[in-house]
Amino acid sequence: MTRALITGITGQDGSFLAEFLLDKGYQVIGLVRRDSWFRHNNASHLEGKIELLFGDMSEGVDIAAAVHDAEPDEIYNLASQSRPGESWSRAPETLLVNGLGAVRLFEAVRHNRPACRVYHASSSEMYGRVDVVPQHEGTPFNPINPYAAAKTYAHQMARIYRESYGLFISSGVLFNHESERRPLHFLPQKVAYGAACAALGITDSRATNEMGRPIVERGKLALGNLDIARDWGYAGDFVRAMWLMLQHDKPGEFVIGTGKLHSLRDLCEVAYGAVGLDWQASVVSDAGLFRPLESSQTLADPTKAKRELGWEPSVGFEDMVKRMVAAQIAGLRSLNK
Ligand code: NAP
């Protein structure tokens, strides 16, 4: 039975990936922070189906022990401080987990498990302020926040370890991907939540935003810059790409995205439209929620992934947003039961 170690298994991608690998007959081992496991998380429903190793990606000994004890054939390194906006106030931790954590993992593989195949979670945030649209594997990086800088460091180190030691490390430069499991502070989920509140007539939400205010306050959803646009895909599709990278005959770097750009306005229109409402009556733009520096319009060119991996997304933008709104409505209804 193939053994896969997943770091970040309690996260959105980790939980989708664990389900995907279990379906394929893998033995799945998750590296998790002890406290995270004992509260409800995205992988709670997998208890009994997966093995657990407790550890923290900011601790080198925990990483080395996990690689040794899991005896993995494949490793998916998904753990990270994954909020670009928050990385401004948590810059040292972001570098420790997202940057040094990855390098410590590569070192552990080099010494203990050199035949193991490794997927590393890079990010389209590395492109930052771009001159070239769309972005492909050869597009230069220009990170503009601590999260993106740490991801760029780990991405370069993955290449260096691959080329210097012959390790099978593939990096997925993933563009934004969302789902029903995305935390509320990410924009599409926040919009889905806002639309769900509007549909249910909730004018002051229990959930709060980055400024500690209700996400929906007096019937309004406050967002930052409505002109930003992103290439948003569905997380379930993206974890399939991770697996395909490790089944490929050679390691490398792969851009994964839909190749379609949607603005935050489009997102609001689809989400509120899904419940028969006009978003403009409920959404306001608040300058206090703008990022210090905003990434340019990053758009994926996934040609290589399609050609070499046969990967294509299956869930479209509208379908994804509608699923998220429906899940938020179900969640809010169950809270009020
Ligand atoms: P997520 O839901 O925020 O999950 C992050 C995971 O990392 C959680 O399981 C979290 O565990 C774990 N983690 C954080 N700090 C840790 C630490 N010190 N030690 C051990 N585990 C730690 O993120 P995601 O959306 O699934 O993303 C997965 C990966 O893809 C991340 O590396 C992210 O940066 C990258 N990525 C995501 C996107 C996207 O759009 N989703 C795009 C590009 C790249 P806890 O439960 O303990 O917090």
Side-chain angles (χ1 to χ4, degrees):
M1 190 184 274
T2 310
R3 295 176 63 79
L5 171 65
I6 303 177
T7 74
I9 199 167
T10 56
Q12 169 186 261
D13 292 5
S15 60
F16 275 109
L17 179 66
E19 288 168 3
F20 177 86
L21 296 177
L22 286 169
D23 277 352
K24 291 211 167 289
Y26 277 56
Q27 178 62 53
V28 174
I29 305 113
L31 173 68
V32 290
R33 291 189 278 193
R34 187 178 290 273
D35 289 351
S36 303
W37 188 255
F38 293 108
R39 57 172 194 256
H40 184 74
N41 65 73
N42 284 312
S44 296
H45 62 293
L46 300 177
E47 184 155 17
K49 296 184 181 163
I50 58 174
E51 285 176 32
L52 293 176
L53 292 170
F54 292 119
D56 194 310
M57 285 297 288
S58 61
E59 297 288 346
V61 286
D62 291 359
I63 298 168
V67 171
H68 178 268
D69 296 350
E71 301 186 329
D73 304 298
E74 297 176 3
I75 298 176
Y76 296 85
N77 182 36
L78 310 183
S80 91
Q81 191 300 99
S82 63
R83 308 175 192 181
E86 213 170 284
S87 71
W88 294 101
S89 57
R90 295 167 66 188
E93 180 200 339
T94 303
L95 179 59
L96 186 60
V97 176
N98 302 11
L100 193 55
V103 174
R104 284 170 163 161
L105 181 78
F106 304 152
E107 270 296 298
V109 169
R110 176 164 88 92
H111 291 293
N112 290 315
R113 207 75 190 162
C116 177
R117 295 187 168 202
V118 180
Y119 169 81
H120 173 69
S122 291
S123 167
S124 60
E125 283 277 331
M126 300 187 304
Y127 294 121
R129 202 179 292 118
V130 293
D131 297 325
V132 182
V133 181
Q135 294 88 45
H136 52 77
E137 289 76 6
T139 304
F141 301 126
N142 187 10
I144 56 168
N145 58 54
Y147 167 87
K151 284 285 184 188
T152 304
Y153 167 70
H155 182 84
Q156 300 290 14
M157 290 301 277
R159 178 184 54 75
I160 289 166
Y161 272 66
R162 182 169 62 239
E163 292 174 355
S164 304
Y165 299 119
L167 298 180
F168 193 113
I169 305 177
S170 283
S171 298
V173 183
L174 269 53
F175 282 62
N176 296 64
H177 46 284
E178 314 294 322
S179 75
E180 306 85 332
R181 300 181 191 175
R182 196 71 146 144
L184 264 181
H185 46 257
F186 284 93
L187 269 177
Q189 192 68 294
K190 195 185 276 186
V191 173
Y193 181 77
C197 287
L200 297 176
I202 298 170
T203 50
D204 290 281
S205 65
R206 289 188 199 173
T208 52
N209 66 17
E210 300 88 321
M211 295 152 84
R213 309 293 311 166
I215 290 180
V216 174
E217 195 170 22
R218 278 173 273 161
K220 300 288 182 197
L221 170 67
L223 300 175
N225 183 356
L226 298 176
D227 293 324
I228 62 132
R230 294 282 182 274
D231 181 333
W232 275 299
Y234 186 65
D237 280 332
F238 283 45
V239 301
R240 182 164 37 86
M242 298 173 189
W243 176 77
L244 285 169
M245 282 178 221
L246 297 199
Q247 313 317 307
H248 196 43
D249 52 8
K250 56 179 189 300
E253 292 157 0
F254 295 88
V255 163
I256 303 295
T258 69
K260 294 183 179 132
L261 205 57
H262 293 278
S263 70
L264 183 49
R265 286 171 205 277
D266 296 338
L267 180 61
C268 293
E269 191 173 341
V270 175
Y272 283 78
V275 290
L277 296 172
D278 176 6
W279 69 275
Q280 298 191 68
S282 301
V283 176
V284 292
S285 175
D286 179 344
L289 295 173
F290 281 43
R291 281 191 193 180
L293 282 172
E294 193 59 73
S295 297
S296 317
Q297 298 199 340
T298 44
L299 175 66
D301 174 358
T303 306
K304 180 183 175 191
K306 184 175 179 186
R307 186 183 63 239
E308 294 192 17
L309 305 177
W311 180 83
E312 277 186 285
S314 67
V315 178
F317 176 73
E318 294 207 356
D319 191 9
M320 176 187 79
V321 175
K322 286 176 183 167
R323 285 186 195 202
M324 293 172 70
V325 174
Q328 286 297 342
I329 290 175
L332 284 167
R333 281 199 174 124
S334 71
L335 277 180
N336 290 325
K337 265 185 188 162

